[in-house]
């Protein structure tokens, strides 16, 4: 992001980019410094105001941070992990039902919905 600062560095200090401070505050833990070192390519900014579950997409870095938060027993992270586990279990159940229906020669629920929509008159769509 910024040009390298000229001058001497103190070997007993860690130097990071400012995003580390904001990300650590937003995630309520001190994040590992490696990804935020001066000159390193920063991880994506993840807004604390976005509900990833409602959005239907969990960024990979959010998963990394969530694992760190769960290890530190942060209540919001434990709740989010529980919700994500429930969603994954529901998806696995739906996949099993679709596989069972396909094995029995039937159509999956998604295929049934698409077929029903295609058979509706244009007025009812």
């Amino acid at each position: 992001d910024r040009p390298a600062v000229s001058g001497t560095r103190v070997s007993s200090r860690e130097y990071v980019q400012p995003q580390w401070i904001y990300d650590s505050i937003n995630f309520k833990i001190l994040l590992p410094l490696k990804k935020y070192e001066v000159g390193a390519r920063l991880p994506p900014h993840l807004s604390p105001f976005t509900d990833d579950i409602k959005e239907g997409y969990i960024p990979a870095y959010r998963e990394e941070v969530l694992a760190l938060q769960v290890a530190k027993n942060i209540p919001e992270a434990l709740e989010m992990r529980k919700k994500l586990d429930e969603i994954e279990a529901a998806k696995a159940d739906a996949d099993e039902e679709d596989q069972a229906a396909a094995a029995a020669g039937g159509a999956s629920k998604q295929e049934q919905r698409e077929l029903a929509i295609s058979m509706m008159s244009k007025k009812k769509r």
Side-chain angles (χ1 to χ4, degrees):
D1 275 88
R2 300 173 185 220
V5 178
S6 62
T8 60
R9 289 190 175 193
V10 179
S11 63
S12 62
R13 294 185 183 166
E14 299 281 346
Y15 293 88
V16 295
Q17 297 187 51
Q19 184 178 331
W20 177 82
I21 297 166
Y22 294 106
D23 285 353
S24 292
I25 291 169
N26 288 339
F27 294 123
K28 300 177 183 166
I29 60 170
L30 292 177
L31 295 167
L33 301 175
K34 186 72 177 163
K35 292 187 177 189
Y36 297 89
E37 291 177 343
V38 175
R41 183 173 178 176
L42 292 170
H45 172 70
L46 301 173
S47 174
F49 307 109
T50 302
D51 185 347
D52 293 325
I53 294 175
K54 279 186 182 176
E55 294 291 325
Y57 171 70
I58 311 295
Y61 189 58
R62 174 80 71 192
E63 288 277 359
E64 280 183 50
V65 172
L66 183 61
L68 294 170
Q69 290 174 316
V70 168
K72 297 281 185 179
N73 289 320
I74 294 176
E76 296 91 353
L78 295 171
E79 183 179 325
M80 185 175 185
R81 179 79 265 162
K82 183 179 175 184
K83 287 180 184 177
L84 288 173
D85 289 343
E86 290 171 0
I87 290 168
E88 289 172 7
K91 284 182 182 177
D93 289 345
D95 288 345
E96 287 176 15
E97 288 175 8
D98 286 347
Q99 288 175 356
S108 70
K109 288 183 181 182
Q110 180 66 26
E111 290 171 337
Q112 290 173 357
R113 274 188 231 113
E114 290 172 2
L115 181 60
I117 290 171
S118 69
M119 295 177 73
M120 286 183 193
S121 66
K122 288 185 179 182
K123 288 182 181 181
K124 292 184 179 182
R125 285 187 198 175

